[in-house]
Amino acid sequence: MTLRVLAAMSGGVDSAVAAARAAEAGYDVTGVHLALSKNPKSYRTGARGCCTAEDSRDAQRAADVIGIPFYVWDMAEEFDRDVVQDFVSEYAAGRTPNPCLRCNEKIKFEAVLDRAIALGFDAVCTGHHVRKTDGRLRRSVDADKDQSYVLGVLDREQVAHAMFPLGDCTKDEVRAEAERRGLAVADKPDSHDICFIADGDTAGFLNERLGGGPGPIKDESGEVLGTHQGAHTYTVGQRKGLNLGGAAERRYVLSIEPVDNTVTVGPRESLQVDEITAERPVWSGSEPFTEPTACTVQLRAHGEVYSCTAVQRDGELAVRLDEPATGVAAGQAAVLYDGDTVLGSGTIAATARSGDPVPAT
């Protein structure tokens, strides 16, 4: 029996080549583009887009060249609820979310996969740069394009029904293959930044939805150093945009308190943490760690990897770093690895330095 595969086609070169490889492998492939906005012009266009009317047309043309059926699924309501509104509410709570990670979790591998399985498909194919071996996710051979971190939130069942044809090649090789196949997207630039913020002004987007208002910028002793126009426009580790001239040393955002609209700043060394608590742990490549286990952890997309010890207790993931990390923000994912293999993940809820009486979020 031929495997039925739903190829998610964003309109970019990666998903087009992934769909072509799946079809060439002999699978029964159907292409689908996700319409994520009721008003596509409100999202990014051209080189910076990933969910625009232009992208839908590019996906359609690629499907025609490959010779597979093609459909457009309206996922605007789900995207607004699970990605856009989540993004806003996380910032309102003083956290720093990763919308691409949430889109993978809630849209591409939850809503889309659920619908695909209900329609009789066996797997969903995407153009993510990640490998899948023995049912577990592994880093791409192209370290610069590796997307295992943003897929670390997937559970074991979702990984089982996922197909990633591009993990064994570099982005340059993907573009060269697209050109050989006659795909017009071969030279299309990659998408960047946040697709649903049309002008790239994240602070303005948040102010429009949460309301901007002045508040104090304080140092660790509580002394007011200046003012800001909305605590939700800052993130832990941020240095630029504080407008605190005359300081003898650089200051960084240490914490954000949305209730009283306060931003606390301090020297870089005050950003260092070695204890992380993460909520909603998910294990795709391992059984849950019931005892402290040595592994590595990545704390932001394309961020540094740290040696650590991790354990799951009372529904939370506790991670102890061997060496301190800086700029660890609540709302990001902590993804655990064994070498290049994804073990599991959790959403960072709190951080602390060894000996701190109270975790600093």
Side-chain angles (χ1 to χ4, degrees), residues 188-222:
K188 185 175 180 178
D190 292 340
S191 58
H192 296 286
D193 303 322
I194 301 170
C195 69
F196 54 83
I197 301 180
D199 58 2
D201 181 7
T202 301
F205 177 88
L206 292 169
N207 280 334
E208 182 179 337
R209 285 152 181 80
L210 297 174
I217 299 177
K218 298 181 179 181
D219 63 17
E220 294 175 276
S221 70

Side-chain angles (χ1 to χ4, degrees), residues 4 38 48 56 78-79 93 108 129 171-172 209 254 258 269 272 280 297 308 314 335 343 351 355 360-361:
R4 294 189 66 206
K38 290 184 172 65
R48 303 171 76 83
S56 180
E78 293 91 337
F79 184 79
K108 295 175 183 174
H129 283 259
K171 186 58 176 270
D172 287 342
R209 285 152 181 80
L254 304 180
E269 55 265 28
Q272 293 185 333
R280 303 187 299 279
V297 64
C308 69
D314 301 323
V335 179
L343 300 173
T351 63
T361 58

Side-chain angles (χ1 to χ4, degrees), residues 21 128-133 138-148 164-174 340:
R21 286 189 175 189
H128 287 95
H129 283 259
V130 65
R131 289 177 289 170
K132 178 179 159 184
T133 306
R138 296 175 59 201
R139 292 190 186 277
S140 168
V141 299
D142 188 338
D144 291 336
K145 293 297 181 180
D146 173 58
Q147 292 176 292
S148 61
F164 306 107
L166 302 188
D168 62 349
C169 60
T170 67
K171 186 58 176 270
D172 287 342
E173 290 170 338
V174 171
D340 63 2

Side-chain angles (χ1 to χ4, degrees), residues 207 210-218 224 226-234 257-263:
N207 280 334
L210 297 174
I217 299 177
K218 298 181 179 181
V224 176
T227 60
H228 61 78
Q229 295 301 313
H232 51 262
T233 64
Y234 294 85
E257 178 48 65
V259 175
D260 59 11
N261 198 26
T262 298
V263 174

Side-chain angles (χ1 to χ4, degrees), residues 145-164:
K145 293 297 181 180
D146 173 58
Q147 292 176 292
S148 61
Y149 173 84
V150 295
L151 296 175
V153 295
L154 304 186
D155 63 31
R156 191 167 302 182
E157 185 70 13
Q158 290 168 329
V159 172
H161 288 284
M163 183 181 294
F164 306 107

